[in-house]
Amino acid sequence: MKITSKTSNEISFDDFRAQILKDYTIAFLSRTVSLLGRKEVLTGKAKFGIFGDGKELPQLAMARSFKNGDFRSGYYRDQTFMMALGLLTPKQLFHSLYATTDIEKEPMSAGRQMGGHFVTHSLNEDGSWKDLTAQKNSSGDISCTAGQMPRLLGLAQASKVYRLLDSLNSNGFSKKGNEIAWGTIGNASTSEGMFLETINAGGVLQVPMVISIWDDEYGISVPAKYHTTGEDISKILSGFQRDKSSNGYELIKVNGWDYTALMHAYEDASDLAREEHVPVVIHVVELTQPQGHSSSGSHERYKSDERLNWERDNDCNKRFREWIIESNIASEEELLELEKNIKREVRIAKKEAWSEYLSTHKDHKKTLIQLLDSAAVNSGNRVHLTRIKNDLIAIDEPIKKDLATSSRKALRYLLGEDSQEKLALQKWVSNFLDDTQPMYSSSLYSEFPNKATNVARIKPNYTKGSQKVDGRVILRDNFDKLLNKYPEILIFGEDSGTIGDVNQGLEGLQKKYGKIRVSDTGIRETTIIGQGIGMALRGLRPIAEIQYLDYIFYALATLTDDLATLRYRTFGKQKAPLIIRTRGHRLEGIWHSGSPMGGLIHVLRGIYILSPRNMTQAAGFYNTLLKSDEPALIIESLNGYRLKEFMPDNLGEFCTPIGVVDTLKQGTDITLVSYGSTLRIVQKAAKELSDVGIEAEVIDAQTLLPFDINQDVLKSVRKTNRLLVIDEDVPGGCSAYIMQEIVEKQGAYKYLDSAPQTLSAKAHRPAYSSDGDYFSKPNAEDIFERVYAIMNEADPTNYPQLR
Ligand SMILES: Cc1ncc(C[n+]2csc(CCOP(=O)(O)OP(=O)(O)O)c2C)c(N)n1
Ligand SMILES: [Mg+2]
């Protein structure tokens, strides 16, 4: 391990001085924002504040070595870094504290994220990529500690892929793979599994990432001895240090108050990572947290007087300032003047941001007061309407909620009355809500013309000579076509490379396309997904394999916190069109169930969830997704790889539409909706029902998120007037979601002659073996009997009781 503490003497003194004063300006500016920002929370103007105080100096060093095309994947302490690169102004930071919903004013998330979550824009207004090599990039932060780590791995890996794959067009994404992915993480968060998993994977993959650990010896109130063995994370990581005989990391430890040592540490790390693609950890120690963790409480509660005194003396800005004066770079008076100006600048920024935040609300308030005034004049409820109006007048600094509440409550007092003024108020409320809701709800999925749900169906073509083959062969040959057609596709996962996945869906493809494009990974689901997210953020088209559906839970945090929220939390300014491939449905055993769809569809809103019944449908989904740019999870049917299907002629071309159901059997008596492998059992039961005169219509939901956007199930229920949803998830799981979609959203309740029902698996995880499956999940007899019971209730004469 290197301990760095050299002094820079490579540039002229004037340049050196100018650089230092510029850095001091940013450090002081950032600190002033932190101090004033916290006050905004304490006075109630902002809801929550978390700032970068105490961590300013190392971030200036990181910013100095950060180049165009580089990416940051960090956490909430990094405001100084963002300011140093011109990616964040004090005014924008105040806008983020207030949650201004205008993306121009609050470019981090248009008010969706708390302050301290940093983002740059990767996409143009029309959704197309910006030139990421011409700007400095920050992937969108999330609040979850260490959640930034898995994606960091992928951001770094993208450089490696762009450097090694000559065939790839890297325009706008990379210049020969010379970009570094810079990670930041707090000392306490290095205890998270995600951190350690990422460190190991980064060492194996040898990718250009520089991870800074901001070590202030605390995680909120909890001191290092509870977080870190031996209280020293770089000591722990020393086993990852590279040496002559093996790859690994370069580890650097540096004091967070030592300006020149920091500059050198970052220059060294940058050279090594950028040129040689060696990952580096910089452990920045002796940092402080002058205002305590966040606006939620003060640190005097948990730090000793001794520690508090030490922090005061060793505050990195204070020591930087002392060093500037001692080294005769600037005098005390010069610095005082500089500081005075900065304080004024920040106060102005704060004031302007608050007034801009309020201005549209105040305009609305004015209009609304006039409308309430007019509506009151001839109303029988004049007194009440005037009270609402006066209450609104009394709110000096209204938020949108105040406007919505008063106007909507006022309408209740106009019930039964008829006037132009009432109409005007009604119209205002509707317009206000229609305009405001998207500020909080847009961009969960793509809203651009190339969104996945706009990709049209292209049917698989068959000719007379079409052969029946194992389903996995269709998938394999389709992946072959796709790898050939899209050089930016990379497929990776456990056993995906050499053996071509555990079910041979990628057989022979590593040989054909090389070890970069079709690769094996370690057993580490979280960072497999992180690799995918990071690479997708940089223009590649990763297909990340999770070997079996039940093991996706190891990666669930990264999927739900990071991938699913990405487009939403960045207000549509970043995208990661990652495809996750896995297999499941009707497996046997507690950890091989293949069934837990309910959990997934609820926590993964923002990702499409597709459950193809066979390999042709699955291949069609891959083809569809690659024409678009949205993330999706595809769950192939494990027990379908060896079932025979006709081989289509147009591999790589045919497209299974997303959000469109398939009717597999026509019927008149009842609509049966199911998906995945359970569908085959439903089809079997439907045949047996036919034998007793019950004609069931069988519909494959096929895509769960989104479900049936053309409302075809409704058309079926209008015909059959009965509905049964069947799946292998727990009671109240995915089947309840499908039921809500059909009965409530599509309005099928109007056409039902029998109570709509669900038939799901038992509440426990499924038992092992064929009998375990039979008694855990709906079987053909269960389905037959449930349908028969519905018919018996409706028409006992023709369908007498079975048992
Ligand atoms: C997964 C997760 N667990 C808990 C939290 C709550 N939390 C927020 S910050 C924090 C402490 C982090 O300490 P450290 O990593 O040392 O960073 P510092 O704030 O000291 O810079 C905790 C526990 C969280 N945001 N995410
Ligand atoms: Mg800490």
Side-chain angles (χ1 to χ4, degrees), residues 74-368:
Y75 80 118
Y76 49 78
R77 294 282 178 224
D78 295 345
Q79 72 189 47
T80 314
F81 167 81
M82 295 297 285
M83 287 177 176
L85 293 182
L87 302 173
L88 177 73
T89 64
K91 189 162 153 185
Q92 288 168 340
L93 193 143
F94 283 107
H95 271 299
S96 76
L97 277 179
Y98 306 141
T100 300
T101 46
D102 179 347
I103 188 73
E104 301 294 325
K105 295 192 166 67
E106 201 288 87
M108 299 301 135
S109 73
R112 288 178 180 187
Q113 294 226 64
M114 292 169 170
H117 292 70
F118 306 112
V119 177
T120 52
H121 296 187
S122 299
L123 305 179
N124 294 308
E125 283 299 297
D126 63 358
S128 60
W129 289 106
K130 287 175 184 280
D131 180 352
L132 304 184
T133 62
Q135 63 180 37
K136 299 186 168 68
N137 304 285
S138 172
S139 58
D141 288 358
I142 60 177
S143 295
C144 328
T145 55
Q148 69 274 29
M149 297 306 295
R151 132 169 55 94
L152 175 70
L153 181 68
L155 288 168
Q157 194 188 4
S159 290
K160 181 147 195 156
V161 170
Y162 282 120
R163 185 173 286 180
L164 295 179
L165 281 185
D166 288 340
S167 52
L168 207 51
N169 178 3
S170 58
N171 272 350
F173 296 112
S174 176
K175 293 196 168 155
K176 297 195 166 53
N178 285 335
E179 303 77 23
I180 293 175
W182 300 82
T184 68
I185 186 165
N187 58 296
S189 303
T190 63
S191 314
E192 295 278 10
M194 286 188 192
F195 172 78
L196 295 160
E197 186 177 317
T198 304
I199 289 284
N200 179 54
V204 169
L205 291 172
Q206 287 292 292
V207 289
M209 57 187 194
V210 177
I211 299 171
S212 296
I213 301 164
W214 306 148
D215 193 342
D216 59 7
E217 296 182 27
Y218 279 84
I220 312 186
S221 65
V222 181
K225 69 173 175 178
Y226 294 110
H227 289 293
T228 309
T229 310
E231 302 182 37
D232 186 342
I233 186 66
S234 50
K235 194 169 162 204
I236 293 174
L237 295 181
S238 61
F240 288 92
Q241 169 78 48
R242 67 189 180 136
D243 58 29
K244 282 196 189 81
S245 62
S246 81
N247 281 336
Y249 279 78
E250 191 58 39
L251 302 179
I252 300 173
K253 192 174 199 173
V254 58
N255 289 324
W257 43 262
D258 188 341
Y259 181 76
T260 50
L262 284 164
M263 288 297 162
H264 280 292
Y266 278 86
E267 277 166 27
D268 290 352
S270 171
D271 290 347
L272 197 57
R274 206 178 293 285
E275 283 157 28
E276 296 176 42
H277 280 187
V278 172
V280 183
V281 170
I282 306 182
H283 184 195
V284 183
V285 294
E286 300 207 358
L287 286 171
T288 68
Q289 193 57 62
Q291 301 194 101
H293 174 76
S294 68
S295 56
S296 304
S298 67
H299 59 158
E300 285 78 9
R301 290 176 302 158
Y302 49 80
K303 286 180 187 161
S304 66
D305 286 345
E306 193 192 355
R307 173 74 195 182
L308 288 167
N309 286 334
W310 183 89
E311 290 208 9
R312 260 189 293 277
D313 292 343
N314 290 286
D315 179 318
C316 62
N317 280 14
K318 179 171 176 282
R319 290 197 65 169
F320 186 28
R321 192 180 192 278
E322 287 164 0
W323 176 80
I324 290 172
I325 294 169
E326 273 165 27
S327 317
N328 290 324
I329 292 164
S331 66
E332 168 85 27
E333 292 68 36
E334 282 171 305
L335 292 186
L336 282 172
E337 183 61 21
L338 188 75
E339 289 162 1
K340 196 173 86 190
N341 291 335
I342 292 169
K343 280 185 185 162
R344 193 175 49 233
E345 182 190 330
V346 175
R347 274 198 304 271
I348 293 171
K350 182 192 81 161
K351 253 186 149 161
E352 283 182 2
W354 182 244
S355 121
E356 286 173 10
Y357 163 74
L358 281 179
S359 72
T360 49
H361 301 177
K362 284 189 166 170
D363 291 346
H364 281 311
K365 176 180 157 182
K366 238 192 218 159
T367 315
L368 186 54

